[in-house]
Amino acid sequence: MKGAADDPPAGPPGHLHGRHRTRPHPLDELRTALAARLSPQARDWLDRALDEAAARPGTHGPLSVWELRLAEAGRRCGAAHADAARVLILHAAQADPDALTRVYRQGTADERRAVLHALPHLVPGPEAVPLVEDALRTNDTRLIAAAVGPYAARHLAPHPWRHAVLKCLFTGVPVDRVADLARRARGDAELARMLGDYAAERTAAGRPVPEDLHRVLALAGTEPGTGAASGTGTVPGTASGSEPGTAPPPGPEPAPHGPVDPHGKES
């Protein structure tokens, strides 16, 4: 591979270290998966857009060229693949928190969603938390689902993270989309209290309790470091012997011919 022959330790992700092959970078895997689903014309456009972003060749008016390509991605790659294409462009441009904030504030809902998906790959610290918090204040379920990804799992403080979980329940976003749910919810007594209050309110109003609430409550009633529920994970209006649910990992694997998960696979 390029740059790996003479100096193995400095090679790109996925190259050979002596006799051992490192795991490919999540965005290398994302690009490969996306390219397999695009038409030849869309693939050519994406390759050019990524080269332009990496070169950062200047601006057209107030926008950089790569920002213009973000706006084109839906038309060029199709709506099903536009999020993944935009994440790759943002990464190729090495967009910093200021650039990401500009794109988020000035962009369409689709571009905002791509920024949220790109955060775990571009911002190692908590500088972009305000963007996540802004998305969680909306009622756009696709923005909310993007906001509760790996970046929120790493950087949202406990109180706003609990409210993010509740926001998913309020708006119908599946809790499968909450990254690292099992670790963060486990043994969280305050989250369990909030879930119980929400369930009691719905029961008192004669409204059904979301099935996902039972799943999160079972996790919140599990002691840290154990795999068994404590037995307190029941909610008003439900049977105490309900089978506790197990939260699956965030985001299902994409179908063979479906859209590519724009987060990429977390290492």
Side-chain angles (χ1 to χ4, degrees), residues 26 34 116 149 251:
L34 179 60
L116 295 168

Side-chain angles (χ1 to χ4, degrees), residues 8-245:
H15 73 294
L16 291 174
H17 281 185
R19 302 178 65 178
H20 301 284
R21 183 179 296 275
T22 60
R23 181 178 176 180
H25 190 280
L27 292 186
D28 291 340
E29 295 180 328
L30 178 64
R31 183 172 181 178
T32 299
L34 179 60
R37 290 162 169 79
L38 294 177
S39 68
Q41 294 85 356
R43 238 181 351 257
D44 289 344
W45 177 86
L46 180 62
D47 289 342
R48 289 194 304 272
L50 294 176
D51 288 344
E52 285 178 337
R56 292 186 284 274
T59 63
H60 285 279
L63 298 178
S64 60
V65 172
W66 60 264
E67 289 177 74
L68 298 177
R69 300 297 172 254
L70 292 176
E72 293 176 21
R75 177 164 54 87
R76 297 287 192 167
C77 298
H81 304 307
D83 277 4
R86 291 186 180 107
V87 168
L88 291 171
I89 292 169
L90 287 165
H91 188 262
Q94 287 299 288
D96 61 18
D98 287 343
L100 292 166
T101 298
R102 182 176 67 250
V103 172
Y104 182 90
R105 299 296 181 194
Q106 299 177 359
T108 64
D110 290 342
E111 291 160 18
R112 291 180 178 189
R113 191 169 61 250
V115 168
L116 295 168
H117 285 310
L119 291 180
H121 305 293
L122 289 170
V123 186
E127 299 90 336
V129 163
L131 302 184
V132 172
E133 293 174 334
D134 181 84
L136 290 170
R137 285 192 290 269
T138 74
N139 288 315
D140 183 329
T141 55
R142 297 183 73 191
L143 272 182
I144 294 167
V148 293
Y151 187 81
R154 295 172 193 163
H155 297 296
L156 266 189
H159 184 68
W161 184 83
R162 294 179 189 118
H163 280 278
V165 174
L166 283 174
K167 186 66 177 271
C168 289
L169 296 171
F170 296 158
T171 58
V173 172
V175 295
D176 292 3
R177 302 304 300 269
V178 180
D180 212 5
L181 174 67
R183 179 185 66 82
R184 291 212 56 171
R186 182 165 290 119
D188 188 335
E190 177 61 14
L191 177 62
R193 183 196 65 77
M194 294 167 68
L195 293 169
D197 288 349
Y198 177 53
E201 290 172 7
R202 292 188 66 90
T203 301
R207 303 175 68 185
V209 175
E211 186 61 33
D212 272 354
L213 186 146
H214 298 276
R215 297 172 58 193
V216 182
L217 190 60
L219 288 168
T222 301
E223 294 298 326
T226 74
S230 66
T232 61
T234 58
V235 298
T238 64
S240 60
S242 298
E243 182 70 18

